[in-house]
Amino acid sequence: MLSDALLKVSGMNVSVEDKQILHDIDLTIQPGETHVLMGPNGAGKSTLGYALMGSPRYKVTGSLLLKGEEIVSLPADQRAKKGMFLSFQEPLEVPGLSLESFLRSAVSERTGVKVRPWEFRKQMKKVMDLLEISPEKAERGLNVGFSGGEKKKAEILQMLLFRPDIAILDETDSGLDVDAVHLVAEGIRTYQQEAGGALLIITHSTRILEPLRIDRTHIMVDGTLVREGDASLVARVNESGYDQFIPTKEA
Ligand code: ADP
Ligand code: MG
């Protein structure tokens, strides 16, 4: 059956080393929609991000449709090529591969077109200026010696150049100072408005969400999506925490 959904997850179970972490996940994201995923530490939010992206560490069953195509058995690089992007909670350092050449090959891989170095540099410089990333970072080994905030900004830079159909951002705002949160949020807003891309934003904070349009909010507890709502659910979590969504803690 044809479906308009960009991403349609049905009955997805995820385990690591024979331990089941996610249970019967259903999640539908339409093109251009922004979804927020919240939940206590250890709930399984990062696991969901990795499983969606196809990290080989996780055993995944169920269905995972991207633009109507079953991708549950595709490796991560194929999913990236088809338009998925994951910003890691803890970005890896890759000595010997410069940020610029990494991004250029990622963008070429995504578009199937070889990007000319000169043109790419110009395009990249524009986005680096927007995010206030200092120019010398382009030549440095990917994330090597970057501060926590710089790594997160580099992920947003990658997202803005890569222009995925859907970006999963895993606590991109954690460990950022006030100015960096603002810049990262503006970068995400640019992606939302100009690229029209969909987002799944994993976060504990509302600051990064302030400038963004939020379409749906999901709460995850113990590997299960327990509640779905609109943007007002974010405010409710911030006021009263997660206990209200944990069945055993209900009064
Ligand atoms: P969150 O991002 O919501 O804080 P995670 O997805 O990181 O939660 O983790 C969910 C649960 O799965 C935790 O209990 C964690 O210890 C476990 N887990 C995640 N990854 C692994 C792994 N590679 N091996 C063993 N357990 C894991
Ligand atoms: Mg996490």
Side-chain angles (χ1 to χ4, degrees):
M1 196 182 81
L2 249 116
S3 132
D4 291 326
L6 174 64
L7 185 70
K8 188 168 168 59
V9 180
S10 323
M12 186 172 80
N13 293 300
V14 178
S15 28
V16 181
E17 292 157 10
D18 294 332
K19 178 182 160 204
Q20 188 169 354
I21 297 174
L22 300 184
H23 307 268
D24 200 20
I25 301 294
D26 291 327
L27 176 68
T28 301
I29 301 182
Q30 303 297 338
E33 277 186 351
T34 294
H35 290 231
V36 173
L37 174 63
M38 305 181 92
N41 292 324
K45 305 178 299 297
S46 294
T47 301
L48 178 61
Y50 284 124
L52 293 178
M53 203 57 220
S55 165
R57 213 145 114 217
Y58 300 87
K59 187 173 163 281
V60 180
T61 61
S63 167
L64 189 46
L65 298 177
L66 181 69
K67 292 175 263 184
E69 181 193 352
E70 184 57 70
I71 60 162
V72 73
S73 27
L74 287 186
D77 60 330
Q78 292 289 322
R79 298 188 197 191
K81 228 173 169 169
K82 289 181 187 294
M84 295 184 80
F85 173 85
L86 172 68
S87 160
F88 295 98
Q89 191 166 4
E90 295 181 11
L92 290 174
E93 298 193 6
V94 190
L97 174 66
S98 79
L99 175 62
E100 179 174 340
S101 34
F102 167 73
L103 289 178
R104 199 173 66 229
S105 56
V107 170
S108 295
E109 187 69 19
R110 158 92 170 118
T111 56
V113 182
K114 270 258 175 293
V115 196
R116 287 200 200 98
W118 173 247
E119 272 172 33
F120 185 75
R121 194 163 300 153
K122 233 170 56 186
Q123 215 184 328
M124 179 169 161
K125 170 115 185 14
K126 219 175 93 186
V127 186
M128 285 177 78
D129 286 348
L130 178 85
L131 293 168
E132 295 180 15
I133 301 174
S134 56
E136 91 275 359
K137 296 284 183 320
E139 325 267 305
R140 225 193 274 171
L142 178 63
N143 289 326
V144 175
F146 286 25
S147 70
E150 286 165 343
K151 285 180 186 169
K152 300 289 172 123
K153 286 203 241 174
E155 300 269 306
I156 298 301
L157 170 68
Q158 191 183 338
M159 175 183 80
L160 285 168
L161 293 170
F162 192 77
R163 289 185 168 239
D165 295 315
I166 179 161
I168 303 160
L169 305 182
D170 192 357
E171 297 199 30
T172 303
D173 48 346
S174 74
L176 296 181
D177 64 41
V178 186
D179 293 335
V181 168
H182 181 72
L183 290 167
V184 162
E186 281 306 311
I188 299 171
R189 193 171 67 97
T190 303
Y191 165 78
Q192 192 180 53
Q193 292 190 340
E194 289 175 21
L199 286 155
L200 179 62
I201 303 177
I202 301 170
T203 187
H204 291 293
S205 115
T206 49
R207 282 189 308 162
I208 200 162
L209 302 176
E210 265 162 28
L212 304 177
R213 187 200 73 245
I214 298 168
D215 298 299
R216 302 301 290 161
T217 305
H218 308 266
I219 308 291
M220 179 177 272
V221 174
D222 285 340
T224 306
L225 289 174
V226 294
R227 185 69 62 88
E228 181 174 346
D230 59 20
S232 67
L233 194 49
V234 175
R236 230 177 104 188
V237 168
N238 277 286
E239 277 156 28
S240 331
Y242 293 115
D243 280 1
Q244 57 187 320
F245 306 110
I246 303 175
T248 51
K249 290 197 182 171
E250 262 169 19

